[in-house]
């Protein structure tokens, strides 16, 4: 990935709570697509979801705006190991071997040996792998702190309650900062760009599980956070409405995909039709260019495949 050009103006850091800073990784030059969150305070500096290695130069530049560098980071707090959230983990640990990496126990083995992760991503992204994600290095087992999802961890001057929240991925956890009323919910909380009035699920293969997802949303609701922190993108308020809209849309998508499996045509045609229908729905709710940004950031075609896989496993879909 290209280095940050020296004269380019960086988008500003955003303070979302005391010692809690939203960092726009300006992924591949796109604003408000991938957010990391910097937690500072006693117990060591932490980054929630550091993003992919292709955005590392930007992460460094933004840490620099806070007078920090990778050498000052003590913890990486991962919601899950998808490359847009955690691809840079191995590279950061190589640079600063003091870093402790918090991750669900089902994700931990794939950080330590990313061969399968790389293999499945390569199947999907082919020649674009390096451009999209940069290098994906193994994380030494000694740096990894595996979580089951019932812990309390002390990082960045606060206690985070860890809660297992599968649905989007089997190895997904969320972190609740009760003192500040923030829930770091990764992709379980869906996609909502910069607190705008539209919440979208994100349902790529292979782990989508609707029953677990519903339970995970219940777990989030039960803790009454005042704000969610979404990787895509940033701080979001109106939590009850947000989660309600997400659940509704998830159900609508899942119905759409289940029915599409009964229609004639092949998967590529079904997926295309789904993309057209969701794109039309986005256009009804959002102005351009926002509707287009949502469609691109969510990755609608992959979302059809993720839900189709779920139904083929669980239903009587062909
Ligand atoms: Zn994900």
């Amino acid at each position: 990935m290209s280095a940050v050009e020296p004269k380019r103006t960086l988008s500003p850091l955003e303070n979302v709570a005391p010692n809690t800073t939203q960092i726009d990784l300006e992924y591949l030059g796109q604003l408000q697509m991938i957010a990391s969150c910097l937690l500072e305070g006693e117990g060591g500096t932490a980054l929630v979801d550091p993003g992919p290695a292709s955005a590392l130069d930007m992460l460094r530049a933004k840490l620099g705006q806070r007078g920090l560098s990778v050498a000052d980071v003590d913890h990486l707090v991962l919601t899950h190991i998808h490359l847009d959230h955690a691809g840079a983990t191995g590279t950061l640990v190589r640079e600063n071997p003091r870093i402790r990496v918090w991750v669900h126990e089902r994700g931990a083995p794939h950080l330590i040996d990313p061969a399968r992760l790389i293999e499945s991503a390569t199947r999907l992204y082919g020649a674009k792998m390096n451009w999209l994600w940069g290098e994906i290095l193994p994380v030494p087992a000694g740096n990894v702190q595996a979580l089951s999802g019932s812990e309390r961890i002390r990082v960045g001057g606060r206690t985070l309650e860890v809660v297992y929240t599968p649905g989007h991925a089997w190895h997904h956890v969320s972190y609740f900062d009760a003192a500040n009323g923030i829930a770091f919910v990764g992709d379980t909380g869906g996609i909502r760009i910069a607190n705008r009035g539209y919440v979208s699920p994100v349902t790529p293969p292979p782990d989508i599980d609707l029953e677990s997802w519903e339970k995970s949303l219940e777990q989030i609701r039960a803790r009454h956070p005042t704000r969610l922190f979404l990787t895509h993108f940033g701080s979001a308020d109106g939590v009850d409405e947000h989660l309600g809209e997400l659940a509704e849309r998830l159900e609508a998508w899942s119905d759409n995909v289940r029915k599409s499996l009964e229609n004639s045509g092949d998967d590529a045609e079904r997926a295309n039709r789904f993309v057209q229908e969701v794109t039309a729905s986005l256009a009804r709710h959002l102005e351009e260019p926002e509707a287009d940004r949502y469609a691109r950031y969510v990755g609608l075609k992959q979302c059809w495949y993720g839900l189709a896989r779920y139904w083929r496993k669980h239903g009587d879909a062909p």
Side-chain angles (χ1 to χ4, degrees), residues 237-258:
D237 56 23
V239 173
D240 281 343
E241 294 79 5
H242 175 114
L243 296 176
E245 187 179 334
L246 175 59
E248 252 173 54
R249 204 152 272 139
L250 193 53
E251 199 182 326
W253 280 21
S254 113
D255 281 352
N256 179 317
V257 172
R258 183 175 47 77

Side-chain angles (χ1 to χ4, degrees), residues 32-302:
Q32 302 180 331
M33 186 175 187
I34 301 181
S36 180
C37 197
L38 174 69
L39 313 179
E40 293 172 271
E42 147 280 308
T45 299
L47 280 170
V48 180
D49 286 353
S54 52
L56 254 179
D57 288 332
M58 187 56 74
L59 179 65
R60 278 186 232 286
K62 300 252 165 133
L63 286 173
Q65 289 183 319
R66 292 282 304 169
L68 298 170
S69 73
V70 172
D72 300 305
V73 176
D74 304 288
H75 304 273
L76 296 178
V77 177
L78 308 182
T79 60
H80 63 307
I81 64 167
H82 288 167
L83 296 171
D84 51 334
H85 294 252
T89 304
T91 310
L92 288 164
V93 171
R94 181 184 58 187
E95 190 171 330
N96 174 4
R98 273 190 321 107
I99 290 177
R100 295 169 86 187
V101 179
W102 302 88
V103 63
H104 188 257
E105 59 197 3
R106 293 176 80 155
H110 302 288
L111 282 184
I112 294 164
D113 176 7
R116 275 182 54 199
L117 189 67
I118 293 170
E119 191 189 302
S120 64
T122 304
R123 232 177 294 135
L124 207 55
Y125 303 110
K128 287 186 177 163
M129 272 295 280
N130 192 55
W131 174 71
L132 285 170
W133 311 120
E135 64 181 352
I136 300 158
L137 296 182
V139 180
N143 294 79
V144 175
Q145 301 279 324
L147 299 163
S148 67
S150 51
E151 296 86 353
R152 278 165 201 279
I153 64 173
R154 187 81 196 148
V155 301
R158 71 204 73 199
T159 300
L160 296 178
E161 181 192 3
V162 185
V163 177
Y164 183 45
T165 53
H168 169 84
W170 283 118
H171 61 276
H172 198 298
V173 288
S174 296
Y175 300 92
F176 292 82
D177 173 359
N180 291 304
I182 302 178
F184 298 92
V185 292
D187 285 347
T188 303
I191 290 184
R192 180 176 172 195
I193 300 175
N195 208 29
R196 290 191 179 82
Y198 193 92
V199 186
S200 173
V202 57
T203 61
D207 282 356
I208 300 308
D209 188 87
L210 297 172
E211 286 78 15
S212 313
W213 204 327
E214 205 173 296
K215 282 183 203 143
S216 295
L217 295 184
E218 210 39 65
Q219 293 276 1
I220 297 168
R221 239 181 240 118
R223 284 163 177 81
H224 303 292
T226 46
R227 253 173 311 160
L228 305 175
F229 189 92
L230 309 169
T231 306
H232 319 289
F233 174 93
S235 173
D237 56 23
V239 173
D240 281 343
E241 294 79 5
H242 175 114
L243 296 176
E245 187 179 334
L246 175 59
E248 252 173 54
R249 204 152 272 139
L250 193 53
E251 199 182 326
W253 280 21
S254 113
D255 281 352
N256 179 317
V257 172
R258 183 175 47 77
K259 286 184 188 131
S260 78
L261 290 171
E262 289 156 13
N263 295 341
S264 59
D266 61 15
D267 282 0
E269 288 166 338
R270 291 170 176 140
N272 281 335
R273 216 172 302 136
F274 174 79
V275 172
Q276 281 165 18
E277 285 167 16
V278 177
T279 303
S281 153
L282 283 166
R284 283 196 296 277
H285 289 90
L286 295 160
E287 305 280 325
E288 287 301 343
E290 282 314 305
D292 174 61
R293 282 174 80 199
Y294 266 90
R296 283 186 296 115
Y297 290 9
V298 171
L300 291 174
K301 189 177 270 190
Q302 282 307 312

